[in-house]
């Protein structure tokens, strides 16, 4: 049989058993060259069946190619320099953390009582406590005025487990923070039932505190034991975040001891017992320093009826652990353990100072939304720079003096 030819493309076919080439293959085989990239399209001469490039166009294409190569090299160099800088910064940070941990372990912790108030230690504290010693430093700084022992923790935990066993299997209802103030002691201890509901919403992105996670039982144990230890307080939303941060840095019994002592501080007890009168005094004290440090933003908030309870309650209830990135929240905790309740309100002013330009351009709704859901990425150095710039004195009076003066007066009222 004679070979069959496809006249259109001049490509011989071997016979009826051979499938014809695809149009793409036909076009490819009809080209005098195979362009490997856009670069080839710029530099290669045109196929023989097309008019040749004019010299000016060829020169222009060569220049474009050279510019592309130069830009690509510039980008590569910039990226390499950026990666090298990030590596250097990470190495410096790791070296700094290692040196700081050595200083804390070998010099400060063995001589805690003598050194904890020294200027050098306070400066190291401000820079952030190394994660490897953070739990120990927090425990020492918070103290154990309640004299809680590991044995007491086990007793409270055993009581909580007994109550859990006797509880119905029906799913718990949504806890009401405000309602806890009026509950009887028995009812508050019954708030054990609400713990499971709240644990599932504690740092959900970490996936370690939810049921089946490695820290679920620890968090459940601490919150249950505390509810039996302080049935007059019971479980209140926000506690799970505080307990979770402590669990990440301490063993379970020591985390419980620190948890109970932290919540026993005057400010935390006022909030978790929902003492409205005392809470208003804290808010009023905050506004004194707010007006002193950020008068323009203070006036803007007043004009928009944005009162501090709208954003401060969540910040104080969770000690910023839900509002700030976890690593930044831990650094806030470092100084909070050193300076006490005053620092919580100083951090609030630091946040307002950091975002002052943004907040002054917003109305009530957008301000409230922004402050109740802060940006996911906040520079620790920037925030602490703004916190450092906050002055906690007003008319020669410090935070404690302002708060005490307000406590001696009638309860202030937040005007909306």
């Amino acid at each position: 049989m004679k070979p069959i030819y496809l006249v259109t493309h001049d490509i011989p076919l071997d016979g009826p058993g051979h499938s014809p080439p695809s149009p793409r293959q036909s076009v490819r085989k009809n080209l005098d060259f195979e362009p490997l990239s856009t670069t080839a399209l710029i530099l290669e001469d045109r196929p023989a069946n097309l008019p040749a490039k004019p010299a000016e166009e060829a020169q222009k294409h060569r220049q474009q190619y050279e510019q592309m190569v130069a830009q690509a090299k510039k980008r590569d160099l910039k990226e390499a320099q950026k990666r090298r800088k990030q590596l250097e910064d990470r190495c410096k940070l790791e070296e700094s953390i290692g040196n700081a941990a050595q200083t804390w372990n070998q010099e400060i912790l063995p001589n805690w009582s003598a050194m904890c108030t020294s200027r050098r230690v306070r400066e190291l504290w401000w820079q952030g406590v190394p994660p490897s010693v953070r739990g120990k430093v927090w425990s020492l700084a918070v103290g154990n005025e309640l004299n809680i022992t590991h044995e007491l923790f086990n007793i409270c935990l055993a009581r909580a487990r007994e109550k859990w066993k006797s509880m119905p299997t029906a799913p718990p209802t949504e806890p009401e923070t405000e309602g806890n103030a009026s509950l009887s002691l028995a009812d508050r201890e019954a708030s054990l039932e609400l713990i499971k509901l709240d644990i599932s919403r504690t740092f959900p992105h970490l996936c370690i505190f939810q049921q089946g996670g490695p820290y679920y039982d620890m968090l459940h144990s601490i919150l249950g034991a505390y509810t039996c230890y302080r049935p007059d307080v019971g479980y209140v939303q926000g506690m799970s975040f505080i307990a979770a941060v402590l669990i990440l840095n301490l063993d379970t019994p020591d985390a419980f001891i620190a948890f109970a002592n932290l919540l026993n501080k005057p400010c935390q007890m006022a909030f978790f017992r929902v003492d409205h009168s005392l809470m208003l005094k804290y808010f009023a004290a905050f506004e004194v320093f707010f007006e002193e440090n950020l008068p323009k933003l203070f006036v803007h908030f007043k004009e928009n009826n944005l009162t501090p309870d709208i954003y401060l309650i969540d910040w104080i209830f969770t000690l910023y652990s839900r509002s700030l990135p976890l690593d930044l929240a831990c650094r806030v905790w470092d100084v909070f353990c050193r300076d006490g309740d005053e620092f919580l309100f100083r951090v609030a002013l630091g946040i307002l100072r950091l975002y002052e330009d943004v907040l002054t351009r917003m109305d009530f709704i957008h301000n409230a939304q922004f402050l109740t859901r802060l940006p996911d990425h906040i520079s620790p150095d920037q925030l602490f720079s703004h916190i450092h710039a906050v002055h906690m004195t007003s008319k020669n009076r410090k935070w404690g003096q302002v708060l005490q003066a307000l406590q001696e007066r009638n309860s202030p009222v937040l005007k909306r």
Side-chain angles (χ1 to χ4, degrees):
M1 181 183 293
K2 294 182 180 180
I4 302 171
Y5 293 94
L6 185 63
V7 177
T8 307
H9 296 288
D10 296 333
I11 300 175
L13 299 178
D14 293 336
H18 185 80
S19 60
S22 67
R24 181 178 178 85
Q25 290 173 330
S26 300
V27 171
R28 279 286 185 194
K29 291 187 177 181
N30 200 37
L31 291 176
D32 293 333
F33 73 102
E34 292 281 333
L36 301 177
S37 66
T38 54
T39 301
L41 290 174
I42 293 174
L43 295 182
E44 293 286 347
D45 292 331
R46 289 176 181 171
N49 59 336
L50 294 176
K53 288 183 184 179
E56 296 82 1
E57 184 178 355
Q59 178 64 23
K60 180 182 176 182
H61 285 175
R62 276 193 294 272
Q63 289 175 350
Q64 288 175 340
Y65 170 72
E66 290 171 0
Q67 289 173 358
M68 290 168 56
V69 171
Q71 289 173 358
K73 287 182 178 179
K74 189 176 181 180
R75 283 196 302 269
D76 291 344
L77 180 61
K78 192 174 181 179
E79 284 296 321
Q81 290 173 340
K82 183 180 178 181
R83 288 194 297 270
R84 186 164 57 250
K85 179 70 165 54
Q86 289 174 340
L87 180 61
E88 290 173 357
D89 290 344
R90 187 162 63 247
C91 290
K92 286 179 182 178
L93 179 61
E94 290 174 357
E95 184 180 1
S96 174
I97 292 173
N99 292 336
Q102 188 174 8
T103 301
W104 281 95
N105 275 316
Q106 296 181 3
E107 300 178 33
I108 301 171
L109 291 177
N111 305 289
W112 178 257
S113 299
M115 295 190 66
C116 66
T117 57
S118 68
R119 182 175 178 179
R120 180 189 173 209
V121 171
R122 289 181 68 82
E123 289 176 354
L124 284 173
W125 220 323
W126 181 266
Q127 295 167 12
V129 178
S132 60
V133 297
R134 182 167 271 152
K136 182 65 174 175
V137 172
W138 286 358
S139 290
L140 289 170
V142 172
N144 187 12
E145 292 182 355
L146 299 174
N147 294 316
I148 299 174
T149 62
H150 289 193
E151 289 74 21
L152 179 58
F153 165 67
N154 290 327
I155 291 170
C156 293
L157 178 58
R159 178 176 175 81
R161 285 173 174 164
E162 287 176 7
K163 285 193 166 291
W164 277 323
K165 287 180 182 178
S166 64
M167 281 181 182
T169 56
T173 56
E174 184 75 19
E176 295 183 7
T177 303
E178 296 283 334
N180 270 20
S182 59
L183 294 177
S184 67
L185 294 185
D187 288 336
R188 291 194 187 190
E189 194 168 278
S191 63
L192 280 166
E193 187 182 359
L194 307 175
I195 292 173
K196 288 184 179 180
L197 180 66
D198 224 21
I199 285 180
S200 64
R201 298 179 293 203
T202 305
F203 298 122
H205 60 287
L206 296 181
C207 302
I208 56 176
F209 294 108
Q210 288 63 43
Q211 192 160 11
Y215 293 107
Y216 172 81
D217 289 337
M218 297 181 198
L219 183 55
H220 205 222
S221 297
I222 287 178
L223 297 174
Y226 180 79
T227 303
C228 291
Y229 172 69
R230 289 297 301 265
D232 58 319
V233 179
Y235 176 77
V236 182
Q237 275 186 298
M239 286 183 177
S240 62
F241 282 86
I242 297 175
V245 172
L246 290 169
I247 286 171
L248 292 174
N249 292 277
L250 288 161
D251 293 334
T252 306
D254 292 325
F256 174 78
I257 293 171
F259 180 75
N261 280 277
L262 263 181
L263 266 55
N264 198 52
K265 304 293 182 184
C267 180
Q268 279 63 53
M269 193 54 65
F271 277 75
F272 281 111
R273 297 190 73 169
V274 198
D275 185 335
H276 290 284
S277 175
L278 192 49
M279 288 169 68
L280 288 174
K281 289 168 184 173
Y282 276 102
F283 294 146
F286 169 77
E287 287 197 304
V288 170
F289 294 95
F290 185 1
E291 185 176 16
E292 188 81 23
N293 284 274
L294 303 165
K296 182 181 176 183
L297 186 60
F298 178 80
V299 171
H300 177 69
F301 276 19
K302 284 294 183 184
E303 291 173 347
N304 284 273
N305 297 318
L306 188 71
T307 51
D309 56 309
I310 292 173
Y311 51 92
L312 276 183
I313 284 180
D314 185 64
W315 294 356
I316 301 301
F317 263 117
T318 63
L319 303 180
Y320 295 95
S321 56
R322 181 163 60 184
S323 309
L324 297 176
L326 185 55
D327 58 338
L328 179 52
C330 285
R331 190 169 165 188
V332 167
W333 278 47
D334 290 341
V335 187
F336 162 62
C337 291
R338 185 193 77 178
D339 292 353
D341 300 338
E342 174 186 331
F343 188 69
L344 297 178
F345 296 92
R346 191 178 175 190
V347 171
L349 292 172
I351 293 171
L352 296 179
R353 193 177 188 276
L354 174 62
Y355 294 110
E356 181 177 13
D357 292 340
V358 175
L359 295 169
T360 50
R361 296 195 297 268
M362 292 181 176
D363 58 14
F364 172 86
I365 295 295
H366 290 94
N367 271 318
Q369 289 176 339
F370 183 90
L371 292 173
T372 52
R373 186 172 178 81
L374 294 171
D376 293 331
H377 302 288
I378 302 175
S379 166
D381 292 337
Q382 280 189 353
L383 177 57
F384 268 77
S385 174
H386 284 276
I387 295 171
H388 187 266
V390 171
H391 302 289
M392 296 302 283
T393 55
S394 175
K395 299 177 181 177
N396 295 321
R397 295 182 304 169
K398 295 184 177 181
W399 167 266
Q401 295 171 313
V402 171
L403 183 61
Q404 184 178 357
L406 288 166
Q407 289 173 344
E408 292 170 355
R409 300 179 193 170
N410 293 328
S411 298
V413 177
L414 292 177
K415 296 180 180 180
R416 294 187 181 279

